[in-house]
Amino acid sequence: QVQLVESGGGLVQPGGSLRLSCAASGFTMDYYAIGWFRQAPGKEREGVSSISGTDGSTVYVESVKGRFTISRDNAKNTVYLQMNSLKPEDTAVYYCAVGRPPRMTSALGYRWYNYWGQGTQVTVSS
């Protein structure tokens, strides 16, 4: 069965960095997009970034452009989210998910994703 396991969250000071990992099993990553989403207390779930399984194209929400980088290692069936210059407003539970958005411009919409991990907490605070 499809399984996604996130890791790498934690507490970091503003300006610091974290790298999240999403280990996938039960499917072939080549044919699916993997997205990272986050949800802060009292806020709606937000698409952060996604990477295509077919051509590796990526998309980011405006607020993380230039700070976050998504990448994948198909041999390890793992997707990464490198987060630099972290801000307190990045604090949230981060989830990875697998799906097939119709195009990458739609890939930050959570309705295209069918399977989700359990989430990992990221806290940015001094």
Side-chain angles (χ1 to χ4, degrees):
Q1 68 277 20
V2 175
Q3 190 172 14
L4 300 168
V5 180
E6 303 97 334
S7 62
L11 172 64
V12 64
Q13 292 186 342
S17 297
L18 285 173
R19 188 177 80 157
L20 305 184
S21 298
C22 173
S25 60
F27 68 99
T28 302
M29 285 180 57
D30 304 53
Y31 305 113
Y32 296 90
I34 303 293
W36 282 100
F37 297 79
R38 64 187 179 187
Q39 189 163 21
K43 294 189 176 181
E44 291 191 358
R45 186 172 12 176
E46 175 186 41
V48 176
S49 182
S50 183
I51 185 165
S52 167
T54 54
D55 62 6
S57 57
T58 59
V59 63
Y60 298 91
V61 68
E62 192 65 32
S63 60
V64 308
K65 285 181 180 178
R67 301 189 297 123
F68 291 11
T69 303
I70 192 171
S71 62
R72 70 179 191 204
D73 184 336
N74 283 0
K76 295 183 178 180
N77 248 29
T78 301
V79 171
Y80 305 97
L81 185 68
Q82 178 67 43
M83 306 187 296
N84 299 329
S85 302
L86 282 161
K87 304 176 180 180
E89 51 263 44
D90 295 316
T91 296
V93 178
Y94 283 70
Y95 302 89
C96 65
V98 58
R100 303 186 76 168
R103 60 192 68 82
M104 288 309 290
T105 51
S106 304
L108 295 183
Y110 63 80
R111 67 184 184 274
W112 303 113
Y113 295 82
N114 307 104
Y115 297 95
W116 294 77
Q118 82 289 349
T120 186
Q121 176 71 46
V122 171
T123 303
V124 185
S125 175
S126 55

